[in-house]
Amino acid sequence: MRPRPRTALLALGAVTVLGLTGCSAIADADPGTGSLGGAPAAPVFDPGPALAKLDTLAVKGRAPKTGYTREQFGPSWSDDNGVEGGHNGCDTRNDILRRDLVDLTYKTSTRDCVVATGTLHDAYTGTTIAFVRGQDTSTAVQIDHVVALSDAWQKGAQQLSPEQRRDLANDPRNLQAVDGPTNAQKSDSDAASWLPPNKAYRCTYVARQIDVKALYRLWVTQAEKDAMSQVLHSC
């Protein structure tokens, strides 16, 4: 199938915006367009809906990590999924790069699917990062699972079907193009042990985690819930 035109990708970004609990429509899902000078503009944020949804999540202990592998969530960045952007002819990584980066150029003969270069205004750090596709340069921008897959596995994803886990791994609502080293620092942490360095983005970040956990029926630990509540009460 021919990849979606740029207008379709903008619509994909809008889906992410509308899916965020408590954010107004001006909280752009493309952090690259948020402001001048590299740092995303602080969104207008009402923490009430996120706090209410947080109270609907089950609170349990972390299950053992036994049996977890990345393959439990399907092939990495597979276009064969049932969420927004699936079956559009482009892999999920490039879908998110096209959504979150600006000033894009594309690899030739990919029908504007494979991003060659672009600029990321990183929501996690508030910095601007130049992306250049290449063996030694692509990792400067990575795609973060807002709810890490290992964390999801230990908090309910073991009970999901293989198709549901595949969708979780490719769902744009759970994906964000970010600074590579910061993503590596986060690893599989939950909100109790890691939050974005850019404090202006923490409310949106936590709200996105809550939305994803509610959507895929995942639970939180008590420490995680306490950390999320603390962030949202500071918004």
Side-chain angles (χ1 to χ4, degrees), residues 24-206:
S24 77
I26 69 169
D28 198 336
D30 179 353
T33 62
S35 69
L36 300 177
V44 175
F45 192 91
D46 174 10
L51 285 165
K53 187 172 286 189
L54 176 60
D55 281 338
T56 70
L57 300 181
V59 179
K60 303 181 185 180
R62 184 185 294 270
K65 195 175 177 178
T66 306
Y68 169 75
T69 64
R70 175 62 179 81
E71 289 70 29
Q72 292 283 1
F73 292 82
S76 295
W77 310 131
S78 173
D79 187 42
D80 182 17
N81 62 71
V83 292
E84 185 72 23
H87 302 285
N88 69 353
C90 294
D91 65 89
T92 301
R93 174 177 166 80
N94 277 291
D95 281 340
I96 301 304
L97 290 174
R98 290 187 298 158
R99 186 194 71 184
D100 290 352
L101 273 61
V102 295
D103 303 325
L104 298 169
T105 68
Y106 299 95
K107 188 175 179 179
T108 58
S109 302
T110 65
R111 297 178 296 176
D112 288 354
C113 178
V114 178
V115 175
T117 64
T119 300
L120 174 68
H121 299 307
D122 178 35
Y124 283 10
T125 63
T127 61
T128 298
I129 303 165
F131 172 78
V132 179
R133 178 173 296 276
Q135 182 176 351
D136 299 323
T137 56
S138 289
T139 56
V141 174
Q142 298 178 15
I143 308 302
D144 179 44
H145 288 95
V146 177
V147 173
L149 300 185
S150 173
D151 180 67
W153 179 258
Q154 296 172 81
K155 296 173 183 173
Q158 295 183 42
Q159 284 75 56
L160 299 179
S161 69
E163 293 77 18
Q164 289 170 323
R165 289 197 295 267
R166 175 205 61 193
D167 287 352
L168 170 60
N170 292 280
D171 195 327
R173 290 165 289 192
N174 193 37
L175 298 173
Q176 183 75 41
V178 299
D179 171 62
T182 301
N183 186 45
Q185 180 188 59
K186 172 188 172 179
S187 186
D188 60 356
S189 299
D190 63 18
S193 52
W194 189 90
L195 293 167
N198 179 18
K199 293 182 180 180
Y201 192 69
R202 289 181 178 179
C203 294
T204 298
Y205 175 79
V206 166

Side-chain angles (χ1 to χ4, degrees), residues 54-57 59 192 220-230:
L54 176 60
D55 281 338
T56 70
L57 300 181
V59 179
V220 292
T221 65
Q222 186 62 58
E224 182 182 9
K225 181 175 182 178
D226 291 346
M228 288 174 160
S229 179
Q230 183 176 359

